[in-house]
Every structure is written in structure tokens, then in C-alpha cells.
Amino acid sequence: MSAIRQRMIEDTQLHGYSAKTQTAYLGAVRGLAGHYHRTPEDITQDELRSYFLSLVKTPTVRMALTVIYACGLRLSEGLQLKAQDIDSARMLKCLDNRAHFRYQVLTRTENAVHPD
């Protein structure tokens, strides 16, 4: 295990993040390193900024971030949300995380992002 990976694991543990969150963060860093085909230590701040800008400019990612933010969804809810969960006609979205099932009202912003 690399020193930076070990440090990241320890830091997330010190912050009290769950095992799933730790795995998600490590996966995100792995994706970044894979994008540049280099270790995270060798990636510059400008490259990191460029990477995040490319993610935000991707229409699918931008739509997902807009919906997650506008709805106040938990990240896990946003990641599980599918197009068929959104009922634009009734201005509702269905959230089903197996333990709980609920409807949430769509905002105008969300409905504009996902019209029928």
C-alpha cells in the first residue's frame, strides 16, 4: 500500500467517515489517477482543476449534480436515482432505498433539467 493511500485511509478514519465513504473517496482518487495515468502525488493543482471542470461540464454529470443539490438528496439517493424515478407530469420523484420509500416534490429547476 502506498504511503498516500495509507494516509488517506487514516485521515478519513480520524474524521469518522464510514467504510463506504472511505471506499468512495479512494475510488474517486483512483479515477483521478487513472485519468492522468499517474500517481496522485504527481498531479498538479492545475490538472486537478481541469479534471473537476471536465466533470462539471459533462452534461450527464452536471444534470446529476443539479438534481442532487436542488433536491437536497443524500449522495447515496442521488446515485441510485434513475430517469424512470422522475414523474415530471406530477412533479414528483420517487426515492426507494429499500428501507424507506418516499416521494419528493420536484423543483422548477429539476423539472427543467428533466422534462418529459
Side-chain angles (χ1 to χ4, degrees):
M1 181 179 306
S2 71
I4 194 167
R5 181 180 172 88
Q6 183 61 40
R7 172 74 187 262
M8 188 171 175
I9 291 170
E10 290 170 356
D11 287 349
T12 56
Q13 289 172 342
L14 285 173
H15 281 88
Y17 294 137
S18 72
K20 283 185 177 183
T21 301
Q22 292 175 34
T23 301
Y25 283 12
L26 290 168
V29 172
R30 189 179 313 114
L32 171 66
H35 178 78
Y36 285 107
H37 305 291
R38 287 187 273 156
T39 63
E41 297 99 339
D42 297 333
I43 297 171
T44 67
Q45 284 187 342
D46 286 339
E47 289 171 325
L48 184 61
R49 184 178 185 279
S50 174
Y51 178 74
F52 285 130
L53 280 172
S54 71
L55 288 178
V56 171
K57 289 180 180 178
T58 303
T60 305
V61 173
R62 185 161 181 78
M63 181 184 71
L65 292 174
T66 300
V67 169
I68 290 169
Y69 179 76
C71 295
L73 296 178
R74 297 174 189 97
L75 183 57
S76 61
E77 291 173 334
L79 292 173
Q80 293 174 9
L81 195 64
K82 297 174 185 63
Q84 60 263 27
D85 295 335
I86 298 175
D87 182 350
S88 295
R90 292 175 49 205
M91 294 288 291
L92 295 172
K93 65 184 157 294
C94 171
L95 301 174
D96 182 9
N97 68 0
R98 296 182 189 163
H100 302 286
F101 178 84
R102 63 188 167 109
Y103 282 101
Q104 192 172 38
V105 176
L106 281 173
T107 65
R108 287 187 177 124
T109 302
E110 294 171 301
N111 200 34
V113 169
H114 189 284
D116 278 340

